[in-house]
């Protein structure tokens, strides 16, 4: 089964290192992904975000030197969405 991919590119007038540092901090998610999250908090080992779809779990890629900001969003139904994201 194949799915349609949609590539979205945004230019930001900052260095890649500055963008990565900001976007890789889960607490900043509501500032750059307002459509996903109005708020986010860490409970034990999970990040929970309030979204238009209700409370969702967000699991982020480990901090890395490659600009990878991949994250999984899991709905309360258990449906998981993988979101690949890169800073370069």
């Amino acid at each position: 089964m194949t799915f349609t991919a949609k590539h979205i590119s945004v230019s930001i007038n900052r260095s890649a290192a500055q963008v990565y540092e900001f976007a890789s901090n889960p607490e900043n998610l509501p500032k750059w992904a307002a459509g996903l999250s109005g708020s986010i908090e860490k409970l034990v080992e999970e990040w929970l975000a309030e979204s238009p779809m209700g409370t969702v779990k967000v699991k982020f890629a480990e901090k890395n030197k490659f600009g990878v900001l991949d994250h999984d969003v899991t709905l309360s139904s258990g449906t998981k969405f993988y979101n690949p994201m890169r800073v370069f």
Side-chain angles (χ1 to χ4, degrees), residues 10-72:
V10 176
S11 295
I12 300 172
N13 192 20
R14 295 283 188 265
S15 71
Q18 288 173 305
V19 172
Y20 181 80
E21 193 59 36
F22 179 83
S24 66
N25 179 347
E27 294 173 339
N28 290 329
L29 183 71
K31 295 176 184 171
W32 62 263
L36 167 65
S37 171
S39 67
I40 190 165
E41 67 177 317
K42 188 171 187 178
L43 295 176
V44 189
E45 293 298 314
E46 294 183 322
W47 286 95
L48 300 178
E50 290 305 320
S51 78
M53 301 148 297
T55 302
V56 297
K57 292 180 189 176
V58 185
K59 183 173 190 240
F60 300 91
E62 297 285 326
K63 276 209 147 184
N64 60 83
K65 63 181 181 178
F66 305 109
V68 175
L69 290 170
D70 295 3
H71 54 284
D72 291 324

